[in-house]
Amino acid sequence: MTDAGDPRTQDRGHYGAGWGQPAPGPGVGPRPGADPGLSPGQQYVPPMPPRRRADAPDPRRAFAPGASVANTTGALIAVVSVIVVEFVSGLVGLLGTSLVVHPFTSYAGESLIGSFVRGVFVAPLPFHVGAFLALAFLVPVARRSPLPVVLLRAVLAGAAGTIALALVGIVTGASGAVRGYGAGRLLVDVVTAPIQSGLPLTLMLVATVTAAWLWLGRPRGTTGRPLGVPGAARRPDAVPPATVPPATMQPATVQQPGAYPQQPGDSWPEAQQPGDPWAPPRR
């Protein structure tokens, strides 16, 4: 036998606020935020909406430090695409120049093949390394970020690659200044040459980062409709639908004995006699 006054057997409410949850025992205090003036069976605290994790980066910020497989994949797609573009462009120039100059003959101490390898792979290598590290750990190509933020991150990654070229230029410029080329060589290797190479590489990086963002899957646009409009998302604490069946699903009403038509001119069907409780309802 159960006690009618036991709060564990009381109704949890019409809207299902406590379904599937155990009733508070005798030694359990009220829940945080509950009204102390209500009984344990009547206390109800609306559920809190889901919160974003504290360590999750904001997709709208320019800097989003962190490492993940998705960030590394986006960085690889962007940087390798720039290298492929450079390779194809340099190969076309090499084929055109080889029609006039032999590609294996040395001119000014360097052959045409050596100039191709240096210009495509060796010289821009610091830019590619700096841009890859920036895209993989500081300014990732996140698919949840909008396109303007992704483009800003591509520019920042290009700036990081240009700074890497300048750092390498400090070493080469200082070495050239010691060998007698003067301070002008240091200025060229640290300032002018990195900017000259970094600007076109940054523009190519912007294009390849956009392609990587599209490849990874850009965020789908929202409808922008407010809550409550058909098709919009439900509130976390919205009232669930009523459990009472609609009027079309209610059982047929039983005609009481002795009842007669209410409207003038109505008549009983032949199959239904007054006083028959099992007769079908009138239409």
Side-chain angles (χ1 to χ4, degrees):
M1 298 298 291
T2 58
D3 187 6
D6 190 355
R8 291 173 294 179
T9 60
Q10 294 179 0
D11 186 14
R12 301 295 180 84
H14 173 69
Y15 297 111
W19 294 117
Q21 301 177 2
V28 180
R31 296 173 56 187
D35 189 356
L38 298 178
S39 62
Q42 297 175 346
Q43 291 177 358
Y44 168 68
V45 178
M48 297 297 294
R51 296 180 179 180
R52 186 172 54 88
R53 295 185 306 171
D55 57 344
D58 187 359
R60 297 185 177 276
R61 294 180 56 186
F63 289 94
S68 64
V69 177
N71 297 351
T72 306
T73 302
L76 282 176
I77 294 175
V79 174
V80 171
S81 299
V82 173
I83 297 176
V84 170
V85 171
E86 285 187 294
F87 175 78
V88 174
S89 176
L91 183 61
V92 172
L94 175 64
L95 293 177
T97 308
S98 62
L99 298 177
V100 181
V101 180
H102 196 277
F104 295 99
T105 304
S106 297
Y107 299 93
E110 188 176 16
S111 64
L112 190 61
I113 297 296
S115 177
F116 168 77
V117 173
R118 182 181 61 83
V120 173
F121 298 104
V122 178
L125 180 62
F127 179 90
H128 299 325
V129 173
F132 172 79
L133 294 178
L135 290 174
F137 300 104
L138 294 178
V139 284
V141 188
R143 62 183 181 87
R144 297 187 299 113
S145 301
L147 181 59
V149 176
V150 173
L151 296 180
L152 177 59
R153 292 178 180 178
V155 174
L156 293 176
T162 304
I163 294 174
L165 289 175
L167 294 178
V168 175
I170 293 176
V171 178
T172 58
S175 176
V178 169
R179 288 182 296 177
Y181 291 100
R185 177 64 182 271
L186 181 63
L187 181 64
V188 169
D189 289 354
V190 175
V191 179
T192 59
I195 294 178
Q196 180 184 4
S197 301
L199 283 178
L201 291 175
T202 300
L203 293 179
M204 285 190 290
L205 188 64
V206 168
T208 55
V209 163
T210 305
W213 178 70
L214 295 174
W215 179 268
L216 294 176
R218 67 183 190 275
R220 299 295 184 262
T222 56
T223 57
R225 290 177 289 187
L227 294 174
V229 178
R234 259 180 88 180
R235 295 182 182 272
D237 56 346
V239 177
T243 57
V244 178
T248 56
M249 301 297 294
Q250 292 181 357
T253 58
V254 179
Q255 187 70 27
Q256 298 295 332
Y260 293 95
Q262 301 295 329
Q263 299 295 334
D266 289 349
S267 60
W268 294 101
E270 296 180 0
Q272 178 181 359
Q273 299 297 331
D276 187 3
W278 304 102
R282 286 191 302 117
R283 296 185 177 274

